[in-house]
Amino acid sequence: MLPNTGRLAGCTVFITGASHGMGKAIALKAARDRANIVIAAKTTHVNPKLPGTIFTAAQEVEAAGGKALPCAVDVRDEQQISNAVEKAVERFGGIDILVNNASAVSLTNTLETPTKRVDLMMNVNTRGTFLTSKTCIPYLKKNRAPGKIAHILNLSPPLNLNPLWFKQHCAYTIAKYGMSMCVLGMAEEFKGEIAVNALWPKTAIHTAAMEMLGGSGIESQCRKVDIIADAACSIFKKPKSFTGNFIIDENILREEGIKNFDIYEIKPGQPLLPDFFLDEHPDTITKKMESHDAVPELKEEKSQPPPKPRSGAVAETFRIVKDSLSDDVVKATQAIYQFELSGEVGGTWFLDLKSKGENVGHGEPSDQADVVMTMSTDDFIKMFSGKLKPTMAFTSGKLKIKGNMTLAIRLEKLMNQMNAKL
């Protein structure tokens, strides 16, 4: 991991969504450089499912060596943003760095995304980023002294217009790309005065929100928040001329001399979930997605044995799943899954992880399914045998999901357990 250099000592860093997760990790990294941290986030009361408040984060910042100013801020509220910026200027004398980290997500397709969820994503991601930047920019522009930091960093992806990143979660992609378009426009508008860049992880990052979304065990496929914090502080060291860039965390840290990325992994050596919006080979990604056997991977996995004959393979898969179920698995999952499979030996199948007894089988479940997954027979078998990552199957359109997305992602843990047996 990158050592602290003291480069940010005395600088004021305004971070939205800094009460937990990646925002707090950046805050703590900067605090170890003795920076002033404005913790601008909504969470003022303890949530047992999402630990951390602006006040607990402030305590951690102070303990790490920085100075903290906790501010209750919903980035959808322009007045709350203005109030927090005014408090920051009054307390610390100005603002040197803005990190737009606050974000809302719903990985649902067009017909399954409620209007209020669309409004939430647009207002938090795009509008919130724009308003917070607009409010901070007058103070950032005052940092004209040579070597003085003036930086906006948005945690948003490269503007990848490959349709596969739109087809399954159009509203989320538009809202997230709105943050990236702020980088594109503001970097040019304020060139020479303020550096404006975007940072995005190459792999999934383990946070409390990810734990809620993916369920227990998802951390083994994630990196720690430390990689984002190190990458962010590496960007802050750059001059104002370093602007308009869409930076991937691993890439900039390689430039800093980091070679061993196992230090950032929760469980070193485990396959990692690739993050959204990144193509392994941009010129050929569409063709690769059309091939059932070519899925972008972050790590080379062990060669797989020859595929089983498709005849009866679905039934065999469900037999192994049933034999592997336990009361603990049922208790931890608490969901009913329905699979609509096309192709040979397809049809409707179910996996009931809510009750004991006959938990799997052909046909519809006795109770309404929480999640319905539609895919081909071949892709179903590949998913459960580890040859096709569910994340890539979903984003490439091979897998369509209706219902509770959180429970859908939770199923991936069970799939990982099945890999060695299928």
Side-chain angles (χ1 to χ4, degrees):
M1 296 184 184
L2 288 182
N4 284 81
T5 63
R7 174 79 168 85
L8 301 180
C11 290
T12 298
V13 187
F14 191 106
I15 309 175
T16 65
S19 58
H20 48 258
M22 291 186 283
K24 189 178 79 171
I26 295 172
L28 293 177
K29 179 71 175 180
R32 296 184 192 103
D33 251 9
R34 302 185 305 283
N36 308 317
I37 310 297
V38 183
I39 301 163
K42 287 200 315 177
T43 311
T44 57
H45 297 88
V46 176
N47 181 344
K49 294 184 179 180
L50 199 63
T53 69
I54 58 175
F55 306 112
T56 58
Q59 292 172 350
E60 292 183 59
V61 164
E62 297 276 356
K67 295 179 180 179
L69 176 63
C71 296
V73 176
D74 182 337
V75 295
R76 295 173 292 179
D77 189 322
E78 187 172 10
Q79 190 59 53
Q80 289 186 25
I81 297 171
S82 296
N83 292 345
V85 170
E86 289 174 6
K87 288 179 183 178
V89 173
E90 181 181 354
R91 171 81 178 273
F92 299 124
I95 295 174
D96 300 285
I97 298 170
L98 165 63
V99 179
N100 286 306
N101 166 69
S103 188
V105 56
S106 179
L107 299 177
T108 48
N109 63 35
T110 300
L111 298 180
E112 294 174 352
T113 308
T115 301
K116 65 178 182 179
R117 181 62 61 174
V118 176
D119 291 341
L120 175 66
M121 290 189 288
M122 299 298 177
N123 288 333
V124 172
N125 299 358
T126 301
R127 183 175 180 272
T129 293
F130 182 89
L131 289 180
T132 308
S133 300
K134 177 184 176 183
T135 308
C136 289
I137 282 170
Y139 301 100
L140 292 166
K141 289 179 71 173
K142 293 180 180 179
N143 298 334
R144 296 181 180 275
K148 190 70 173 178
I149 293 174
H151 207 128
I152 296 174
L153 181 64
N154 294 352
L155 293 190
S156 62
L159 287 166
N160 184 347
L161 297 184
N162 190 321
L164 72 88
W165 300 118
F166 290 83
K167 65 185 294 184
Q168 297 297 329
H169 38 77
C170 186
Y172 171 63
T173 298
I174 292 171
K176 203 65 186 174
Y177 279 16
M179 298 176 69
S180 300
M181 293 173 76
C182 286
V183 171
L184 197 65
M186 293 178 187
E188 192 67 22
E189 183 176 358
F190 302 106
K191 185 177 291 185
E193 298 179 289
I194 304 168
V196 186
N197 294 291
L199 174 63
W200 192 247
K202 185 173 182 179
T203 74
I205 302 296
H206 184 239
T207 62
M210 175 62 75
E211 189 77 26
M212 288 176 61
L213 190 64
S216 177
I218 194 69
E219 69 274 6
S220 65
Q221 298 171 277
C222 299
R223 281 176 171 166
K224 304 172 186 176
V225 291
D226 300 319
I227 191 169
I228 286 291
D230 280 359
C233 287
S234 176
I235 294 167
F236 299 154
K237 295 190 302 181
K238 303 288 186 181
K240 293 178 184 178
S241 57
F242 184 80
T243 190
N245 300 290
F246 293 89
I247 302 149
I248 304 303
D249 56 358
E250 182 176 314
N251 295 349
I252 194 167
L253 292 177
R254 287 190 185 279
E255 293 176 7
E256 292 285 343
I258 299 293
K259 296 180 180 179
N260 177 20
F261 286 86
D262 286 351
I263 58 175
Y264 293 113
E265 296 179 15
I266 303 293
K267 292 188 177 180
Q270 293 294 314
L272 297 170
L273 284 173
D275 210 344
F276 283 19
F277 308 118
L278 302 180
D279 295 347
E280 185 184 38
H281 301 292
D283 295 336
T284 60
I285 187 67
T286 302
K287 291 182 179 178
K288 289 183 69 175
M289 286 301 176
E290 291 173 353
S291 168
H292 287 298
D293 297 314
V295 179
E297 302 279 358
L298 287 183
K299 290 191 172 184
E300 184 177 344
E301 299 185 3
K302 296 179 180 179
S303 60
Q304 301 288 342
K308 298 176 182 178
R310 287 297 179 257
S311 178
V314 174
E316 175 66 9
T317 298
F318 276 105
R319 185 194 65 77
I320 294 174
V321 170
K322 182 177 181 180
D323 290 346
S324 302
L325 293 179
S326 65
D327 290 344
D328 289 339
V329 170
V330 172
K331 184 178 179 180
T333 309
Q334 286 297 291
I336 298 175
Y337 301 92
Q338 183 172 319
F339 302 89
E340 297 295 339
L341 306 181
S342 61
E344 186 181 358
V345 202
T348 300
W349 298 74
F350 72 92
L351 175 59
D352 183 350
L353 297 181
K354 273 188 176 177
S355 58
K356 298 180 181 180
E358 297 298 324
N359 295 313
V360 303
H362 188 268
E364 296 185 1
S366 56
D367 295 323
Q368 183 175 356
D370 299 292
V371 182
V372 178
M373 297 184 172
T374 303
M375 71 197 86
S376 72
T377 298
D378 281 358
D379 288 336
F380 169 82
I381 295 168
K382 287 178 181 178
M383 256 189 4
F384 269 89
S385 62
K387 297 177 184 177
L388 176 62
K389 291 182 181 296
T391 302
M392 295 308 302
F394 176 72
T395 56
S396 65
K398 294 180 178 180
L399 167 64
K400 293 183 179 180
I401 299 175
K402 291 183 179 181
N404 189 315
M405 183 61 70
T406 299
L407 295 177
I409 295 176
R410 193 171 294 171
L411 181 63
E412 188 162 350
K413 179 183 178 182
L414 178 61
M415 291 182 182
N416 291 335
Q417 295 174 351
M418 298 299 102
N419 289 352
K421 301 178 180 180
L422 292 167

